Amino acid sequence: MPDHPRCGFIALVGAPNAGKSTLLNAMIGSKVSIVSPKVQTTRTRVLGITIQGDAQMIFVDTPGIFKPKRRLDRAMVAAAWQGAEDADVIGVLYDVSRRSIDEDTRSIVARLKEQGREAILILNKIDLVKRDVLLGIADAFRQEGIFSDIFMVSAFTEDGVAHLKQFLADRLPDGPWHFPEDQISDMPMRLLAAEITREKLFLQLHQELPYSATVETEVWEEFEDGSVKISQVIFVQRESQKAIVLGKGGQRIKALGSAARSELTHMLERRVHLILFVKVREGWVDDPERYSAWGLDFGAS
């Protein structure tokens, strides 16, 4: 630890698909949160940890904030606001390719105003719009009166990310580091492995499968040669969804397993034996145990 350490929490909040997970991974320099084109991919609070100079930066990637309709929605939105309330710095992400400010983002700004919280604005996906459009969006947000600073980045290309990272590091309070220097997340490896498989599931089937599918790691067995056997179950809610995941002759789940195994091998830096099963569990979205495993409040209102 340096002689004059700094440490703090930075919450990334925004509407679904604003690019929070992509930005988090760019900040950390490694994947700690899964990414897909499907909204509400992130289900729970994910901590990403990185060092910048004397500062340990603890990023809180949160589920997208939107108007919840179901129990799972309410729990995810509650987790997002909890992450923001505990943070030293709040960064509101906005996808500039949307052009006009959407209702979900307006609701986020309104709630921060009610709480008297100051935030920074992070305009993301600047590679997708022209400069005059970008400046118009920035001006509209500036008039809200709660943003101390505005940053323009592309989390995908990492344009502007280094400047934002240094700014955030400089804003953190003095204090000891909370985690070892080489730790990049607080997520248990069994859960992260399941999230990697869930990401591949969404990437391959996001047009066909509801986002309520989930993945759980049931077996994690390490061997003397350094390899690891990971057995996971993909839970869906109906038999018809099970058939979609399996694919004709089992080809879909083979492709899914191959993609997940490749990324896990790269992440763990060792040989991975990945075994996937698909099971139907009707009503799992109303099972309190599932919420506990994700760190969500089953009774969130």
Side-chain angles (χ1 to χ4, degrees):
M1 191 177 297
D3 292 335
H4 303 287
R6 283 173 289 119
C7 185
F9 290 82
I10 303 158
L12 302 175
V13 301
N17 260 5
K20 298 179 297 297
S21 295
T22 303
L23 179 61
L24 173 68
N25 293 337
M27 290 282 194
I28 304 305
S30 181
K31 176 175 278 190
V32 294
S33 190
I34 68 173
V35 178
S36 92
K38 201 169 186 70
V39 299
Q40 292 305 108
T41 302
T42 302
R43 283 198 179 133
T44 186
R45 185 218 64 172
V46 177
L47 288 189
I49 308 158
T50 189
I51 305 297
Q52 182 78 1
D54 291 344
Q56 183 172 72
M57 311 169 70
I58 307 170
F59 288 94
V60 187
D61 181 28
T62 63
I65 296 174
F66 62 112
K67 188 174 182 179
K69 297 178 180 178
R70 300 169 299 174
R71 183 187 295 276
L72 182 57
D73 297 340
R74 292 194 296 272
M76 290 191 296
V77 171
W81 280 117
Q82 184 62 50
E85 288 168 5
D86 295 341
D88 296 290
V89 181
I90 298 174
V92 177
L93 260 76
Y94 177 72
D95 173 1
V96 294
S97 68
R98 295 185 178 191
R99 304 292 176 129
S100 59
I101 304 175
D102 58 281
E103 287 305 311
D104 291 331
T105 303
R106 290 189 184 281
S107 295
I108 293 169
V109 172
R111 179 154 175 173
L112 291 174
K113 281 184 178 180
E114 290 173 6
Q115 297 174 344
R117 296 295 301 271
E118 186 180 72
I120 66 167
L121 176 66
I122 305 169
L123 299 178
N124 189 27
K125 307 184 185 181
I126 60 171
D127 50 313
L128 301 180
V129 299
K130 294 182 178 180
R131 180 175 175 80
D132 58 335
V133 174
L134 191 59
L135 294 177
I137 293 171
D139 186 60
F141 274 109
R142 189 177 290 110
Q143 293 178 33
E144 296 291 345
I146 66 165
F147 296 109
S148 62
D149 298 89
I150 298 177
F151 292 86
M152 302 179 184
V153 307
S154 170
F156 181 72
T157 66
E158 300 192 15
D159 183 20
V161 170
H163 176 63
L164 171 61
K165 185 175 179 179
Q166 185 61 58
F167 171 86
L168 291 170
D170 293 341
R171 290 283 294 269
L172 297 183
D174 294 334
W177 292 355
H178 293 357
F179 297 93
E181 184 175 1
D182 59 352
Q183 187 170 341
I184 63 171
S185 179
D186 70 336
M187 183 177 287
M189 191 53 66
R190 290 170 66 103
L191 180 55
L192 181 56
E195 287 289 87
I196 293 297
T197 301
R198 188 165 68 91
E199 177 189 65
K200 305 311 175 191
L201 185 69
F202 281 174
L203 289 173
Q204 294 194 23
L205 294 170
H206 71 277
Q207 298 293 345
E208 304 169 63
L209 191 69
Y211 85 99
S212 52
T214 194
V215 181
E216 295 182 9
T217 299
E218 293 199 330
V219 175
W220 183 289
E221 186 177 356
E222 305 200 12
F223 299 104
E224 291 184 0
D225 65 359
S227 65
V228 58
K229 181 177 81 172
I230 304 172
S231 294
Q232 296 177 335
V233 179
I234 300 170
F235 287 106
V236 294
Q237 296 193 85
R238 294 188 296 274
E239 285 290 340
S240 60
Q241 296 170 352
K242 179 178 179 180
I244 291 173
V245 175
L246 290 172
K248 187 176 181 180
Q251 290 303 307
R252 184 62 64 71
I253 196 169
K254 287 180 182 177
L256 175 66
S258 177
R261 184 184 304 108
S262 176
E263 180 150 346
L264 287 168
T265 298
H266 176 74
M267 178 179 291
L268 299 173
E269 298 182 335
R270 51 178 160 162
R271 189 179 177 190
V272 173
H273 310 274
L274 179 63
I275 304 169
L276 298 180
F277 302 93
V278 186
K279 296 181 181 180
V280 177
R281 181 190 279 167
E282 295 182 7
W284 69 260
V285 291
D286 291 315
D287 181 354
E289 284 190 23
R290 306 281 75 74
Y291 289 71
S292 177
W294 298 323
L296 297 176
D297 179 4
F298 181 76
S301 59

